[in-house]
Amino acid sequence: MLLATFCILGTACAPDSNLDGAYAQVYLPHDFRQLSTLRADEFAQAAASTQRLDHIQDLYRADETREATISFFEALTGSRLVSQLILGEAARLDIAPALAFALAWQESRFQPRAVGPTNVNQTVDRGLFQLNSRTFAHIKAEDFFDPAINARLGLTHLAFCLRQGGNEVVALAIYNAGLNRIRGTGTPLTTLNYINRIIGYRDKLEALFEAQVVANYSQETLLVHASSFETEM
């Protein structure tokens, strides 16, 4: 069982051009390392009760590990500013950072001045999170290309989509196709492909973060950061 999982994860973390080819060839996630130390009779119960921890959010919020987190995403995006803006807005809105970065990658490849092709309804998507000119008609044209404004509005809109959709998959469908269309005619195939790309990138990103950042810290350190934030909440 251990060997099979080890090989599967090794394949999943093969080099990928979308993540700068930075994957470790063989990688064992922190949560699995913890479970793999248990006896067979303890494993099922522990696995069922183990919650998925957001190590990115926890390490960003902790003073002593924030710089390592920012540096990881700076290397990924090519921009310290973009990385800090996305991490900050994700923390403010309590959105999983990996999802926020995966969305920005899909929408603009982290380029604040990206402009999409004209849509069927003659609107245009612009900036880091490709804000739609009709949905965000209240902001000035130049504000679409301000990464701080775009990240704030884009991730605030994602938070709205998460509340409306109830989960990440439906939220991404709403972000891409619009709430009325999803509720009315359903999710188009192009949107399903869009969701699949984002979720795939998010999963790889989380694995890479664990391999390159989380692995440098002890389990005790990670638990302290997670529990301290829960206490603050």
Side-chain angles (χ1 to χ4, degrees), residues 48-61:
S49 62
T50 297
Q51 294 184 345
R52 183 177 183 175
L53 300 177
D54 191 341
H55 292 309
I56 300 175
Q57 196 79 284
D58 292 337
L59 295 187
Y60 173 71
R61 283 172 164 149

Side-chain angles (χ1 to χ4, degrees), residues 6-18:
F6 198 77
C7 293
I8 291 170
L9 290 169
T11 302
C13 292
D16 186 301
S17 59
N18 294 330

